[in-house]
Amino acid sequence: QVRLMESGGGLVQPGGSLRLSCAASEIRFPLYDMGWHRQAPGKQRELVAAIMRDGSRTYTESVQGRFTISRDNARNMVFLQMTSLEPEDTAVYYCSAKAGSISWPHWGQGTQVTVSS
C-alpha cells in the first residue's frame, strides 16, 4: 500500500516561509505524479501544486511565484517550498499521489500550516 507522511507544517508570520516534506513508501515512486492539496477552514479542498512523472509542474494561480514543488526520486520524497506566505494560505496541507489517473487516490495525514501575526 502507498503510504505518504507529511512534515514541516507550523505557525509562521505573514511574509514568512515554510518547507513541507512528504516521504512516500512506494518503491516505484518515479512512476507517480505527486501533488500538494490544501483545505482551509470553511473552504473546499484544492490542488495547489503538482509535479508529474515527467517533471512538469503546475500551480494554482493563487500560489504561482510563491510556492515551488520539487521531488527527489532517489529518496522517494516530494517537497513544497512556500514563501511570501499569506493568512489565506492557512490550511491543512496534504501530500497526494496518483499513478497517471485523473483523480488523486493516495493521501497523507496532513500537516497544519497557520499564517498569522
Side-chain angles (χ1 to χ4, degrees), residues 51-90:
I51 181 166
M52 304 306 181
R53 300 183 305 278
D54 64 2
S56 61
R57 295 170 171 85
T58 60
Y59 301 92
T60 192
E61 184 177 356
S62 64
V63 308
Q64 182 72 43
R66 300 188 297 118
F67 291 8
T68 301
I69 189 171
S70 61
R71 64 192 296 164
D72 185 340
N73 286 345
R75 299 170 61 198
N76 284 13
M77 297 191 72
V78 63
F79 308 94
L80 186 67
Q81 179 67 51
M82 305 184 294
T83 63
S84 301
L85 283 162
E86 305 167 350
E88 293 75 18
D89 296 317
T90 296

